Amino acid sequence: MYTNVNLAAPIGALLFLGTGFLLFVAGLALIYSLTRKKFGLARFALITMAVIIAVYLGVMLIFSLTSEERVLVRGQEKHFCEIDCHLAYSVTDVQHSKTLGQTMTGVGANGPTAAGLFRVVTIKTRFDENTISPTRGNGLLHPNSRVVVVIDDNGNEYLPSPTGQKALETSQAAGSPFTAPLRPGEFYNTTVVFDLPAGITNPVLLIHEGESMTHFVIGHENSPLHKKIGFQI
């Protein structure tokens, strides 16, 4: 199973929250010692905070450097850990065309024209019912925000085409948004369009979480220097 973390999500979340709590307590001790002019205690609080931060960043770096970069082919799934369950993402279809109307039904013959070449990617989101606990039940899961970007061989990044995406949404060809809720076993498709240079080589689609706090979670794909798992398009 390919996942967006190489440390179990509950453990990563607990380490993040626990470290934040320890820093909060040490910060209170620092404020107290400074107001009471107890400089020995203040020094100890500062050293404690520095050690906590250094240890946390060191562990984060270890997990980032031991992660592996992969590019998944059509149909292979990348699982996103949502603490008590997994959402699985896969690329099910890729089309390219100079004019969007030639590629997507419903857009119309006068659809937008790409500066380079439109690459229209259909992504399947599946709530993997095999990853939930027996006590979770059939309640809805509201996914965290998602960011999609294409990266080429030179490291250049390309966001979805605003013009192309608007045309898909207007014609109701964009499918469901990535944040649409699901129940265990359910799935939906989302279509994203990129305006890529005609001569682009080996483009890779990357889907990752949009929450800024994930950049500070040990083992998370968004953490510094962590390798990515992308999709071949």
Side-chain angles (χ1 to χ4, degrees):
M1 180 185 296
Y2 304 107
T3 67
N4 67 327
V5 295
N6 61 341
L7 175 67
I11 297 176
L14 286 174
L15 288 174
F16 176 77
L17 294 174
T19 301
F21 176 74
L22 291 177
L23 289 174
F24 175 73
V25 173
L28 290 179
L30 177 62
I31 295 173
Y32 171 79
S33 61
L34 290 176
T35 56
R36 296 290 182 171
K37 296 183 178 180
K38 297 183 178 181
F39 299 113
L41 178 60
R43 191 183 306 105
F44 177 77
L46 279 173
I47 292 174
T48 300
M49 293 175 71
V51 169
I52 292 172
I53 293 173
V55 170
Y56 189 87
L57 292 178
V59 175
M60 178 184 290
L61 185 61
I62 290 172
F63 276 87
S64 292
L65 294 178
T66 55
S67 62
E68 296 184 12
E69 188 166 334
R70 294 184 181 275
V71 178
L72 307 182
V73 299
R74 190 82 55 88
Q76 284 188 299
E77 291 183 326
K78 175 182 177 181
H79 287 245
F80 279 60
C81 299
E82 298 278 351
I83 303 298
D84 65 341
C85 55
H86 286 188
L87 288 179
Y89 293 83
S90 60
V91 171
T92 60
D93 187 48
V94 181
Q95 302 179 40
H96 15 85
S97 175
K98 184 66 177 179
T99 302
L100 195 59
Q102 298 173 352
T103 305
M104 300 299 299
T105 58
V107 174
N110 297 321
T113 300
L117 194 67
F118 281 129
R119 195 159 301 206
V120 184
V121 185
T122 301
I123 301 164
K124 178 181 178 181
T125 302
R126 181 177 68 90
F127 188 162
D128 190 345
E129 70 276 17
N130 298 315
T131 61
I132 63 175
S133 66
T135 58
R136 186 193 182 279
N138 197 44
L140 283 171
L141 169 67
H142 293 266
N144 294 325
S145 64
R146 299 288 185 250
V147 176
V148 290
V149 61
V150 169
I151 304 175
D152 65 15
D153 270 349
N154 297 318
N156 299 313
E157 296 188 357
Y158 306 89
L159 293 172
S161 164
T163 303
Q165 207 63 41
K166 183 178 180 181
L168 291 185
E169 292 169 359
T170 300
S171 62
Q172 298 182 341
S176 300
F178 285 114
T179 53
L182 306 100
R183 299 185 189 277
E186 292 182 340
F187 70 90
Y188 51 71
N189 292 317
T190 305
T191 301
V192 186
V193 58
F194 297 87
D195 188 347
L196 303 178
I200 193 172
T201 55
N202 299 322
V204 173
L205 176 74
L206 179 64
I207 307 171
H208 59 91
E209 290 193 62
E211 277 69 23
S212 57
M213 63 170 289
T214 58
H215 294 271
F216 305 99
V217 176
I218 294 173
H220 197 284
E221 190 178 47
N222 283 349
S223 61
L225 301 180
H226 200 288
K227 305 295 193 307
K228 314 299 183 188
I229 296 178
F231 297 91
Q232 184 184 82
I233 61 168

